[in-house]
Coordinates of all heavy atoms in Angstrom, one line a residue:
M1 N -146.5 71.7 -122.3 CA -145.1 71.8 -122.0 C -144.7 70.5 -121.2 O -145.6 69.9 -120.6 CB -144.8 73.0 -121.2 CG -145.0 74.3 -122.0 SD -144.6 75.8 -121.1 CE -143.0 76.1 -121.8
I2 N -143.5 70.2 -121.2 CA -143.0 69.0 -120.6 C -143.3 68.9 -119.1 O -143.7 67.9 -118.5 CB -141.5 68.7 -120.8 CG1 -141.2 67.2 -120.5 CG2 -140.6 69.7 -120.1 CD1 -139.9 66.8 -121.0
G3 N -143.3 70.1 -118.4 CA -143.6 70.1 -116.9 C -145.0 69.7 -116.7 O -145.3 69.0 -115.7
D4 N -145.9 70.1 -117.5 CA -147.3 69.7 -117.4 C -147.5 68.2 -117.5 O -148.3 67.6 -116.8 CB -148.2 70.5 -118.4 CG -148.1 72.0 -118.3 OD1 -148.0 72.5 -117.1 OD2 -148.0 72.7 -119.3
K5 N -146.7 67.6 -118.5 CA -146.8 66.2 -118.7 C -146.2 65.4 -117.4 O -146.8 64.4 -117.0 CB -146.0 65.8 -119.9 CG -146.6 66.3 -121.2 CD -147.9 65.6 -121.5 CE -148.4 66.2 -122.8 NZ -149.7 65.6 -123.2
I6 N -145.1 65.9 -116.9 CA -144.6 65.3 -115.7 C -145.6 65.3 -114.6 O -145.8 64.3 -113.9 CB -143.2 66.0 -115.3 CG1 -142.2 65.8 -116.4 CG2 -142.8 65.5 -113.9 CD1 -141.0 66.7 -116.2
R7 N -146.2 66.5 -114.3 CA -147.2 66.6 -113.3 C -148.4 65.7 -113.5 O -148.8 65.0 -112.6 CB -147.7 68.0 -113.1 CG -148.7 68.2 -112.0 CD -149.3 69.6 -111.9 NE -148.4 70.7 -112.1 CZ -148.3 71.4 -113.2 NH1 -149.1 71.2 -114.2 NH2 -147.4 72.4 -113.3
M8 N -148.9 65.7 -114.7 CA -150.0 64.8 -115.1 C -149.7 63.4 -114.8 O -150.5 62.7 -114.2 CB -150.4 65.0 -116.5 CG -151.6 64.2 -117.0 SD -151.8 64.1 -118.8 CE -150.5 63.0 -119.2
W9 N -148.6 62.9 -115.3 CA -148.3 61.4 -115.1 C -148.0 61.1 -113.7 O -148.4 60.1 -113.2 CB -147.1 61.0 -116.0 CG -147.5 60.9 -117.4 CD1 -147.2 61.7 -118.5 CD2 -148.4 59.9 -118.0 NE1 -147.8 61.2 -119.7 CE2 -148.5 60.1 -119.4 CE3 -149.1 58.8 -117.4 CZ2 -149.3 59.3 -120.2 CZ3 -149.9 58.0 -118.2 CH2 -150.0 58.2 -119.6
R10 N -147.3 62.0 -113.0 CA -147.0 61.8 -111.5 C -148.3 61.6 -110.8 O -148.5 60.7 -110.0 CB -146.2 62.9 -111.0 CG -145.8 62.7 -109.5 CD -145.0 63.9 -108.9 NE -145.7 65.2 -109.0 CZ -146.7 65.5 -108.2 NH1 -147.2 64.7 -107.2 NH2 -147.3 66.7 -108.3
K11 N -149.2 62.6 -111.0 CA -150.5 62.5 -110.3 C -151.3 61.3 -110.7 O -152.0 60.6 -109.8 CB -151.3 63.8 -110.5 CG -150.7 65.0 -109.7 CD -151.5 66.2 -109.9 CE -150.9 67.3 -109.0 NZ -151.8 68.5 -109.0
A12 N -151.3 60.9 -112.0 CA -152.1 59.8 -112.4 C -151.6 58.5 -111.8 O -152.3 57.6 -111.6 CB -152.0 59.7 -114.0
K13 N -150.3 58.5 -111.5 CA -149.7 57.3 -110.9 C -149.7 57.3 -109.4 O -149.3 56.4 -108.7 CB -148.2 57.1 -111.4 CG -148.0 57.0 -112.9 CD -148.4 55.7 -113.4 CE -148.2 55.6 -114.9 NZ -148.3 54.3 -115.5
G14 N -150.2 58.4 -108.8 CA -150.3 58.6 -107.4 C -148.9 58.7 -106.7 O -148.8 58.2 -105.6
I15 N -148.0 59.3 -107.3 CA -146.6 59.4 -106.8 C -146.4 60.9 -106.3 O -146.8 61.8 -107.0 CB -145.6 59.1 -107.8 CG1 -145.8 57.7 -108.4 CG2 -144.2 59.3 -107.3 CD1 -145.0 57.3 -109.6
S16 N -145.8 61.0 -105.1 CA -145.5 62.4 -104.6 C -144.3 62.9 -105.3 O -143.5 62.2 -105.9 CB -145.3 62.3 -103.1 OG -144.1 61.7 -102.8
Q17 N -144.1 64.2 -105.2 CA -142.9 64.8 -105.8 C -141.7 64.3 -105.1 O -140.7 64.1 -105.7 CB -143.0 66.4 -105.6 CG -143.9 67.0 -106.6 CD -143.9 68.6 -106.4 OE1 -143.5 69.1 -105.4 NE2 -144.3 69.2 -107.5
I18 N -141.8 64.1 -103.8 CA -140.6 63.6 -103.0 C -140.2 62.2 -103.5 O -139.1 61.9 -103.7 CB -140.9 63.6 -101.5 CG1 -141.0 65.1 -101.1 CG2 -139.8 62.8 -100.7 CD1 -141.5 65.2 -99.6
D19 N -141.2 61.3 -103.7 CA -141.0 59.9 -104.1 C -140.4 59.9 -105.5 O -139.5 59.1 -105.8 CB -142.2 59.1 -104.0 CG -142.6 58.8 -102.6 OD1 -141.8 58.9 -101.7 OD2 -143.8 58.4 -102.3
L20 N -141.0 60.7 -106.4 CA -140.5 60.8 -107.8 C -139.0 61.3 -107.8 O -138.2 60.7 -108.5 CB -141.4 61.7 -108.6 CG -141.0 61.8 -110.1 CD1 -140.9 60.4 -110.8 CD2 -141.9 62.7 -110.9
A21 N -138.8 62.3 -107.0 CA -137.4 62.8 -107.0 C -136.4 61.8 -106.5 O -135.3 61.6 -107.1 CB -137.3 64.1 -106.0
E22 N -136.8 61.0 -105.5 CA -135.9 60.0 -105.0 C -135.7 58.9 -106.0 O -134.6 58.4 -106.2 CB -136.6 59.3 -103.7 CG -135.7 58.3 -103.0 CD -136.3 57.8 -101.8 OE1 -136.6 58.6 -100.9 OE2 -136.6 56.6 -101.7
A23 N -136.8 58.5 -106.8 CA -136.7 57.5 -107.8 C -135.8 57.9 -108.9 O -135.1 57.1 -109.6 CB -138.0 57.1 -108.3
V24 N -135.8 59.2 -109.2 CA -135.0 59.8 -110.4 C -133.6 60.1 -109.9 O -132.7 60.2 -110.8 CB -135.8 61.0 -111.0 CG1 -135.0 61.6 -112.1 CG2 -137.1 60.5 -111.5
G25 N -133.4 60.4 -108.6 CA -132.1 60.7 -108.1 C -131.8 62.2 -108.2 O -130.7 62.7 -108.4
I26 N -132.9 63.0 -108.1 CA -132.7 64.5 -108.1 C -133.5 65.0 -106.9 O -134.2 64.3 -106.1 CB -133.3 65.1 -109.4 CG1 -134.8 64.7 -109.6 CG2 -132.4 64.7 -110.6 CD1 -135.4 65.4 -110.9
S27 N -133.4 66.3 -106.7 CA -134.1 66.9 -105.5 C -135.6 67.1 -105.7 O -136.0 67.3 -106.9 CB -133.4 68.3 -105.2 OG -133.8 69.2 -106.1
P28 N -136.4 67.1 -104.7 CA -137.8 67.4 -104.8 C -138.0 68.8 -105.4 O -139.0 69.0 -106.2 CB -138.3 67.3 -103.4 CG -137.4 66.4 -102.7 CD -136.1 66.7 -103.3
L29 N -137.1 69.8 -105.1 CA -137.2 71.1 -105.7 C -137.1 71.1 -107.2 O -137.8 71.8 -107.9 CB -136.2 72.0 -105.1 CG -136.3 73.5 -105.5 CD1 -137.6 74.1 -105.1 CD2 -135.1 74.3 -104.9
A30 N -136.2 70.2 -107.7 CA -136.1 70.1 -109.2 C -137.4 69.6 -109.8 O -137.9 70.1 -110.8 CB -135.0 69.1 -109.5
I31 N -138.1 68.6 -109.2 CA -139.3 68.1 -109.7 C -140.4 69.3 -109.7 O -141.1 69.5 -110.6 CB -139.9 66.9 -108.8 CG1 -138.9 65.7 -108.9 CG2 -141.3 66.6 -109.2 CD1 -138.9 65.1 -110.3
E32 N -140.4 70.0 -108.6 CA -141.3 71.2 -108.5 C -141.1 72.2 -109.6 O -142.0 72.6 -110.3 CB -141.1 71.8 -107.1 CG -142.0 73.0 -106.9 CD -141.8 73.7 -105.6 OE1 -141.4 73.1 -104.6 OE2 -142.1 74.9 -105.5
Y33 N -139.8 72.5 -109.8 CA -139.4 73.5 -110.9 C -139.8 72.9 -112.3 O -140.2 73.7 -113.1 CB -138.0 73.9 -110.8 CG -137.7 74.9 -109.7 CD1 -138.6 75.3 -108.8 CD2 -136.5 75.5 -109.6 CE1 -138.4 76.2 -107.8 CE2 -136.2 76.4 -108.6 CZ -137.1 76.8 -107.7 OH -136.9 77.7 -106.8
Y34 N -139.5 71.6 -112.5 CA -139.9 71.0 -113.8 C -141.4 71.1 -114.0 O -141.9 71.6 -115.1 CB -139.5 69.6 -113.9 CG -138.0 69.3 -113.9 CD1 -137.5 68.1 -113.4 CD2 -137.1 70.2 -114.4 CE1 -136.2 67.8 -113.4 CE2 -135.8 69.9 -114.4 CZ -135.3 68.7 -113.9 OH -134.0 68.5 -113.9
E35 N -142.2 70.8 -113.0 CA -143.6 70.8 -113.1 C -144.2 72.2 -113.3 O -145.2 72.4 -113.9 CB -144.3 70.1 -111.9 CG -144.1 68.6 -111.9 CD -144.8 67.9 -110.8 OE1 -145.5 68.6 -109.9 OE2 -144.7 66.7 -110.7
E36 N -143.5 73.2 -112.7 CA -143.9 74.6 -112.9 C -143.4 75.2 -114.2 O -143.5 76.4 -114.4 CB -143.5 75.4 -111.7 CG -144.2 75.0 -110.4 CD -143.7 75.8 -109.2 OE1 -142.7 76.5 -109.3 OE2 -144.3 75.5 -108.1
N37 N -142.6 74.4 -115.0 CA -142.0 74.8 -116.2 C -141.0 76.0 -116.0 O -140.8 76.8 -116.9 CB -143.1 75.2 -117.2 CG -143.9 74.0 -117.7 OD1 -143.3 73.1 -118.2 ND2 -145.2 74.1 -117.4
K38 N -140.4 76.0 -114.8 CA -139.3 77.0 -114.5 C -138.0 76.4 -115.1 O -137.1 77.2 -115.4 CB -139.2 77.2 -113.0 CG -140.4 78.0 -112.4 CD -140.2 78.2 -111.0 CE -141.3 79.0 -110.4 NZ -141.1 79.1 -108.9
W39 N -137.8 75.1 -115.0 CA -136.6 74.4 -115.5 C -137.1 73.4 -116.5 O -138.2 72.9 -116.5 CB -135.9 73.7 -114.4 CG -135.2 74.5 -113.4 CD1 -135.1 75.8 -113.3 CD2 -134.6 74.0 -112.2 NE1 -134.4 76.2 -112.2 CE2 -134.1 75.1 -111.5 CE3 -134.4 72.7 -111.7 CZ2 -133.4 74.9 -110.3 CZ3 -133.7 72.6 -110.5 CH2 -133.2 73.7 -109.8
K40 N -136.2 73.1 -117.4 CA -136.4 72.0 -118.4 C -135.4 70.9 -118.1 O -134.2 71.1 -118.0 CB -136.1 72.5 -119.8 CG -136.8 73.7 -120.3 CD -138.2 73.4 -120.6 CE -138.9 74.6 -121.2 NZ -140.3 74.5 -121.2
P41 N -135.9 69.7 -118.0 CA -135.0 68.5 -117.7 C -134.2 68.2 -118.9 O -134.7 68.3 -120.1 CB -136.0 67.4 -117.4 CG -137.3 67.8 -118.0 CD -137.3 69.3 -118.0
G42 N -133.0 67.7 -118.7 CA -132.2 67.2 -119.8 C -132.6 65.9 -120.2 O -133.5 65.2 -119.5
T43 N -132.1 65.4 -121.3 CA -132.6 64.1 -121.8 C -132.3 62.9 -120.8 O -133.1 62.0 -120.7 CB -132.0 63.8 -123.2 OG1 -130.6 63.9 -123.1 CG2 -132.6 64.6 -124.2
G44 N -131.2 63.0 -120.1 CA -130.9 61.9 -119.1 C -131.9 61.9 -118.1 O -132.4 60.8 -117.6
T45 N -132.4 63.1 -117.6 CA -133.4 63.2 -116.6 C -134.7 62.7 -117.2 O -135.5 62.1 -116.5 CB -133.5 64.6 -116.0 OG1 -132.2 65.0 -115.5 CG2 -134.6 64.7 -114.9
I46 N -135.0 63.1 -118.4 CA -136.2 62.7 -119.1 C -136.3 61.1 -119.1 O -137.3 60.5 -118.8 CB -136.4 63.2 -120.5 CG1 -136.6 64.8 -120.4 CG2 -137.5 62.6 -121.3 CD1 -136.5 65.5 -121.7
L47 N -135.2 60.5 -119.4 CA -135.2 59.0 -119.5 C -135.5 58.4 -118.1 O -136.2 57.5 -118.0 CB -133.8 58.5 -120.0 CG -133.4 58.9 -121.4 CD1 -132.0 58.5 -121.7 CD2 -134.3 58.2 -122.4
R48 N -134.9 59.0 -117.0 CA -135.1 58.5 -115.7 C -136.5 58.8 -115.2 O -137.1 58.0 -114.5 CB -134.1 59.1 -114.7 CG -132.6 58.6 -115.0 CD -131.6 58.9 -113.9 NE -131.6 60.3 -113.5 CZ -130.9 61.3 -114.1 NH1 -130.2 61.0 -115.1 NH2 -131.0 62.5 -113.6
L49 N -137.1 60.0 -115.6 CA -138.5 60.3 -115.3 C -139.4 59.3 -115.9 O -140.3 58.8 -115.3 CB -138.8 61.7 -115.7 CG -138.3 62.8 -114.8 CD1 -138.3 64.2 -115.6 CD2 -139.0 62.9 -113.5
A50 N -139.2 59.0 -117.2 CA -140.1 58.1 -117.9 C -140.0 56.7 -117.2 O -141.1 56.1 -117.0 CB -139.7 58.0 -119.4
D51 N -138.8 56.3 -116.9 CA -138.7 55.0 -116.2 C -139.4 55.0 -114.8 O -140.1 54.0 -114.5 CB -137.2 54.7 -116.0 CG -137.0 53.3 -115.5 OD1 -137.5 52.3 -116.0 OD2 -136.2 53.2 -114.5
A52 N -139.2 56.0 -114.1 CA -139.8 56.1 -112.7 C -141.3 56.2 -112.8 O -142.0 55.6 -112.0 CB -139.3 57.3 -112.0
L53 N -141.8 56.9 -113.8 CA -143.3 57.0 -114.0 C -143.9 55.8 -114.8 O -145.1 55.8 -115.0 CB -143.6 58.3 -114.7 CG -143.3 59.6 -113.9 CD1 -143.3 60.8 -114.8 CD2 -144.2 59.7 -112.7
Q54 N -143.0 55.0 -115.3 CA -143.5 53.8 -116.1 C -144.3 54.2 -117.3 O -145.4 53.7 -117.6 CB -144.2 52.8 -115.2 CG -143.4 52.3 -114.1 CD -144.2 51.3 -113.2 OE1 -145.4 51.3 -113.2 NE2 -143.4 50.4 -112.5
V55 N -143.7 55.2 -118.0 CA -144.3 55.7 -119.3 C -143.2 55.8 -120.3 O -142.0 55.7 -120.0 CB -145.0 57.1 -119.1 CG1 -146.1 57.1 -118.1 CG2 -144.0 58.2 -118.7
S56 N -143.6 55.9 -121.6 CA -142.6 56.1 -122.6 C -142.1 57.5 -122.6 O -142.7 58.4 -122.2 CB -143.2 55.7 -124.0 OG -144.0 56.7 -124.4
I57 N -140.9 57.6 -123.3 CA -140.3 59.0 -123.4 C -141.3 59.8 -124.2 O -141.5 61.0 -123.9 CB -139.0 58.9 -124.1 CG1 -138.0 58.1 -123.3 CG2 -138.4 60.3 -124.4 CD1 -136.7 57.7 -124.0
L58 N -142.0 59.2 -125.2 CA -142.9 60.0 -126.0 C -144.1 60.5 -125.2 O -144.6 61.6 -125.5 CB -143.4 59.1 -127.2 CG -142.4 58.7 -128.2 CD1 -143.0 57.7 -129.2 CD2 -142.0 59.9 -129.0
D59 N -144.5 59.8 -124.2 CA -145.5 60.3 -123.3 C -145.1 61.6 -122.6 O -146.0 62.4 -122.4 CB -145.9 59.2 -122.2 CG -146.6 58.0 -122.8 OD1 -147.3 58.2 -123.8 OD2 -146.4 56.9 -122.2
L60 N -143.8 61.7 -122.3 CA -143.4 62.9 -121.6 C -143.1 64.1 -122.5 O -143.3 65.2 -122.2 CB -142.1 62.6 -120.8 CG -142.3 61.8 -119.5 CD1 -141.0 61.6 -118.8 CD2 -143.3 62.4 -118.6
V61 N -142.6 63.8 -123.7 CA -142.2 64.9 -124.6 C -143.2 65.1 -125.7 O -142.9 65.8 -126.7 CB -140.8 64.6 -125.2 CG1 -139.8 64.5 -124.2 CG2 -140.8 63.4 -126.1
E62 N -144.4 64.6 -125.6 CA -145.5 64.9 -126.5 C -145.6 66.4 -126.7 O -145.6 67.2 -125.8 CB -146.8 64.3 -126.0 CG -147.9 64.5 -127.0 CD -149.3 64.0 -126.4 OE1 -149.3 63.4 -125.3 OE2 -150.3 64.1 -127.1
G63 N -145.6 66.8 -128.0 CA -145.7 68.2 -128.3 C -144.3 68.8 -128.6 O -144.2 69.9 -129.0
C64 N -143.3 68.0 -128.3 CA -141.9 68.5 -128.7 C -141.7 68.0 -130.1 O -142.2 67.1 -130.6 CB -140.9 67.8 -127.8 SG -141.0 68.4 -126.1
K65 N -140.8 68.8 -130.7 CA -140.4 68.4 -132.1 C -139.1 67.6 -132.0 O -138.2 67.9 -131.1 CB -140.1 69.7 -132.9 CG -139.7 69.5 -134.3 CD -139.6 70.8 -135.0 CE -139.2 70.5 -136.5 NZ -139.0 71.8 -137.2
V66 N -138.9 66.6 -132.8 CA -137.7 65.8 -132.8 C -136.9 66.2 -134.1 O -137.5 66.2 -135.2 CB -138.1 64.3 -132.9 CG1 -136.8 63.5 -133.0 CG2 -138.9 63.9 -131.6
I67 N -135.7 66.5 -133.9 CA -134.8 66.9 -135.0 C -133.7 65.9 -135.1 O -133.0 65.7 -134.2 CB -134.2 68.3 -134.8 CG1 -135.4 69.4 -134.7 CG2 -133.2 68.7 -135.9 CD1 -134.9 70.8 -134.4
N68 N -133.5 65.3 -136.3 CA -132.4 64.4 -136.6 C -131.3 65.2 -137.2 O -131.5 65.8 -138.3 CB -132.8 63.3 -137.5 CG -133.8 62.4 -136.9 OD1 -133.5 61.8 -135.9 ND2 -135.0 62.3 -137.5
E69 N -130.1 65.3 -136.6 CA -129.0 66.0 -137.1 C -128.2 65.1 -138.1 O -128.3 63.9 -138.0 CB -128.1 66.5 -136.0 CG -128.8 67.6 -135.2 CD -127.8 68.3 -134.3 OE1 -126.9 67.7 -133.7 OE2 -127.9 69.6 -134.2
E70 N -127.4 65.7 -138.9 CA -126.6 65.0 -139.8 C -125.6 64.0 -139.2 O -125.3 62.9 -139.7 CB -125.8 65.9 -140.7 CG -126.6 66.7 -141.7 CD -125.8 67.6 -142.6 OE1 -124.6 67.5 -142.6 OE2 -126.4 68.5 -143.3
N71 N -125.1 64.3 -138.0 CA -124.2 63.5 -137.3 C -124.8 62.3 -136.5 O -124.2 61.6 -135.8 CB -123.3 64.3 -136.3 CG -124.1 64.9 -135.2 OD1 -125.3 64.7 -135.1 ND2 -123.4 65.6 -134.3
G72 N -126.2 62.2 -136.7 CA -126.9 61.1 -136.0 C -127.5 61.5 -134.7 O -128.3 60.7 -134.2
D73 N -127.2 62.6 -134.2 CA -127.8 63.0 -132.9 C -129.2 63.3 -133.1 O -129.7 63.8 -134.2 CB -127.1 64.3 -132.3 CG -125.7 64.0 -131.7 OD1 -125.5 62.9 -131.4 OD2 -124.9 65.0 -131.6
I74 N -130.0 63.1 -132.1 CA -131.4 63.4 -132.1 C -131.7 64.4 -131.0 O -131.3 64.2 -129.9 CB -132.3 62.2 -131.9 CG1 -132.1 61.2 -133.0 CG2 -133.8 62.5 -131.8 CD1 -132.8 59.8 -132.8
L75 N -132.3 65.6 -131.4 CA -132.5 66.6 -130.5 C -134.0 66.7 -130.1 O -134.9 66.5 -131.0 CB -132.1 68.0 -131.0 CG -130.7 68.2 -131.5 CD1 -130.5 69.6 -132.0 CD2 -129.7 67.9 -130.3
L76 N -134.4 67.0 -128.9 CA -135.7 67.2 -128.5 C -135.9 68.7 -128.3 O -135.2 69.3 -127.6 CB -136.0 66.5 -127.2 CG -135.8 65.0 -127.1 CD1 -136.0 64.5 -125.7 CD2 -136.6 64.3 -128.1
V77 N -136.8 69.3 -129.1 CA -137.0 70.7 -129.1 C -138.4 71.1 -128.5 O -139.4 70.5 -129.0 CB -136.8 71.3 -130.5 CG1 -137.0 72.8 -130.5 CG2 -135.5 70.9 -131.1
D78 N -138.4 71.9 -127.5 CA -139.7 72.3 -126.9 C -140.0 73.7 -127.4 O -139.3 74.6 -127.2 CB -139.5 72.3 -125.4 CG -140.8 72.6 -124.6 OD1 -141.9 72.5 -125.2 OD2 -140.7 72.8 -123.4
K79 N -141.2 73.8 -128.0 CA -141.6 75.2 -128.4 C -142.5 75.7 -127.3 O -143.6 75.1 -127.0 CB -142.4 75.1 -129.7 CG -141.6 74.8 -130.9 CD -142.5 74.8 -132.1 CE -141.8 75.6 -133.2 NZ -142.7 75.6 -134.4
D80 N -142.1 76.7 -126.6 CA -143.0 77.3 -125.6 C -144.0 78.3 -126.2 O -143.9 78.6 -127.4 CB -142.2 77.8 -124.4 CG -141.3 79.0 -124.8 OD1 -141.6 79.7 -125.8 OD2 -140.4 79.3 -124.0
C81 N -144.8 78.8 -125.4 CA -145.9 79.7 -125.9 C -145.4 81.0 -126.4 O -146.1 81.8 -127.1 CB -146.9 79.9 -124.8 SG -146.3 80.7 -123.3
D82 N -144.1 81.4 -126.1 CA -143.6 82.6 -126.6 C -142.9 82.4 -128.0 O -142.3 83.3 -128.5 CB -142.5 83.2 -125.7 CG -143.1 83.6 -124.4 OD1 -144.2 84.1 -124.4 OD2 -142.4 83.4 -123.3
C83 N -143.1 81.2 -128.6 CA -142.5 80.9 -129.9 C -141.0 80.8 -129.9 O -140.4 80.9 -130.9 CB -143.0 81.8 -131.0 SG -144.8 81.7 -131.2
H84 N -140.4 80.7 -128.7 CA -139.0 80.5 -128.6 C -138.7 79.0 -128.7 O -139.6 78.2 -128.2 CB -138.4 81.0 -127.3 CG -138.4 82.5 -127.3 ND1 -139.3 83.2 -126.4 CD2 -137.8 83.5 -127.9 CE1 -139.1 84.5 -126.6 NE2 -138.2 84.7 -127.5
I85 N -137.7 78.6 -129.2 CA -137.3 77.2 -129.3 C -136.2 76.9 -128.3 O -135.2 77.6 -128.3 CB -136.9 76.7 -130.7 CG1 -138.1 76.9 -131.6 CG2 -136.4 75.3 -130.7 CD1 -137.8 76.6 -133.1
K86 N -136.4 75.9 -127.4 CA -135.4 75.6 -126.4 C -135.0 74.1 -126.6 O -135.9 73.3 -126.7 CB -135.9 75.8 -125.0 CG -136.3 77.2 -124.7 CD -136.8 77.3 -123.3 CE -137.2 78.8 -123.1 NZ -137.7 79.0 -121.7
I87 N -133.7 73.9 -126.8 CA -133.2 72.5 -126.9 C -133.3 71.9 -125.5 O -132.7 72.4 -124.6 CB -131.8 72.5 -127.5 CG1 -131.7 73.2 -128.8 CG2 -131.3 71.0 -127.6 CD1 -132.5 72.6 -129.9
L88 N -134.0 70.8 -125.4 CA -134.0 70.1 -124.1 C -132.8 69.2 -123.9 O -132.4 68.9 -122.8 CB -135.3 69.2 -124.1 CG -136.6 69.9 -124.1 CD1 -137.7 68.9 -124.1 CD2 -136.7 70.9 -122.9
G89 N -132.2 68.8 -125.0 CA -131.0 68.0 -124.9 C -130.9 67.0 -126.0 O -131.8 66.8 -126.8
R90 N -129.8 66.2 -126.0 CA -129.6 65.2 -127.0 C -130.0 63.9 -126.5 O -129.7 63.6 -125.3 CB -128.1 65.2 -127.4 CG -127.6 66.5 -128.1 CD -126.2 66.4 -128.5 NE -125.7 67.7 -129.0 CZ -125.9 68.1 -130.2 NH1 -126.5 67.4 -131.1 NH2 -125.5 69.3 -130.6
L91 N -130.6 63.1 -127.3 CA -131.0 61.8 -126.9 C -129.8 60.8 -127.0 O -129.2 60.8 -128.0 CB -132.1 61.3 -127.8 CG -133.0 60.1 -127.3 CD1 -133.7 60.5 -126.0 CD2 -134.0 59.7 -128.3
P92 N -129.5 60.1 -125.9 CA -128.3 59.2 -126.0 C -128.5 58.1 -127.1 O -129.6 57.7 -127.4 CB -128.4 58.5 -124.6 CG -129.1 59.5 -123.7 CD -130.1 60.1 -124.6
K93 N -127.4 57.7 -127.6 CA -127.5 56.7 -128.7 C -128.3 55.5 -128.4 O -129.0 55.0 -129.2 CB -126.0 56.3 -129.2 CG -125.3 57.4 -129.9 CD -123.9 57.0 -130.3 CE -123.2 58.2 -130.9 NZ -121.9 57.9 -131.3
Q94 N -128.1 55.0 -127.2 CA -128.8 53.7 -126.8 C -130.3 53.9 -126.7 O -131.0 52.9 -126.7 CB -128.3 53.2 -125.5 CG -128.5 54.0 -124.3 CD -127.5 55.1 -124.0 OE1 -126.7 55.4 -124.8 NE2 -127.4 55.5 -122.8
E95 N -130.8 55.1 -126.7 CA -132.3 55.3 -126.6 C -132.9 55.8 -127.9 O -134.1 56.0 -128.0 CB -132.6 56.4 -125.5 CG -132.2 56.0 -124.2 CD -132.9 54.7 -123.7 OE1 -134.0 54.5 -124.0 OE2 -132.2 53.9 -122.9
R96 N -132.1 55.9 -129.0 CA -132.6 56.4 -130.2 C -133.6 55.5 -130.9 O -134.4 56.0 -131.7 CB -131.4 56.7 -131.2 CG -130.6 57.8 -130.7 CD -129.5 58.2 -131.6 NE -128.7 59.2 -131.0 CZ -127.5 59.5 -131.4 NH1 -126.9 59.0 -132.4 NH2 -126.8 60.5 -130.7
H97 N -133.6 54.2 -130.7 CA -134.5 53.3 -131.3 C -135.9 53.7 -131.1 O -136.8 53.4 -132.0 CB -134.2 51.9 -130.9 CG -134.5 51.7 -129.4 ND1 -133.6 52.0 -128.4 CD2 -135.6 51.2 -128.8 CE1 -134.2 51.7 -127.2 NE2 -135.4 51.2 -127.4
E98 N -136.2 54.3 -130.0 CA -137.6 54.7 -129.7 C -138.1 55.8 -130.7 O -139.3 56.0 -130.8 CB -137.8 55.2 -128.3 CG -137.6 54.1 -127.3 CD -138.0 54.6 -125.9 OE1 -139.0 55.4 -125.8 OE2 -137.4 54.1 -124.9
W99 N -137.2 56.5 -131.3 CA -137.6 57.6 -132.2 C -137.6 57.2 -133.7 O -138.0 58.0 -134.5 CB -136.7 58.8 -132.0 CG -136.7 59.3 -130.6 CD1 -135.9 59.0 -129.6 CD2 -137.7 60.2 -130.1 NE1 -136.3 59.6 -128.5 CE2 -137.4 60.4 -128.7 CE3 -138.8 60.8 -130.6 CZ2 -138.2 61.2 -127.9 CZ3 -139.6 61.6 -129.8 CH2 -139.2 61.8 -128.5
Q100 N -137.2 56.1 -134.0 CA -137.0 55.7 -135.4 C -138.1 54.7 -135.8 O -138.8 54.2 -135.1 CB -135.6 55.2 -135.6 CG -134.6 56.3 -135.3 CD -133.2 55.8 -135.3 OE1 -132.9 54.6 -135.6 NE2 -132.3 56.6 -135.0

């Protein structure tokens, strides 16, 4: 799950939850909830997390399915262990080149 990837990369980079939260512009509690898979970050937050962790978006969303919609939107879909599908959000147009 994406929270596990956030935790793994944060620890690999030697960054505290507080420092990561400050770099991303969110609360440390949000980082904690993401890492515990209680909350799912939206695509804007995923972009800022990837930038703060100096990893690609693909590094964070590995295991997610990418869906291209007819209108050109790209959705990131996270399949959790209960086989429910949760839409993480739409990828902004300026970031779509990484998926194509």
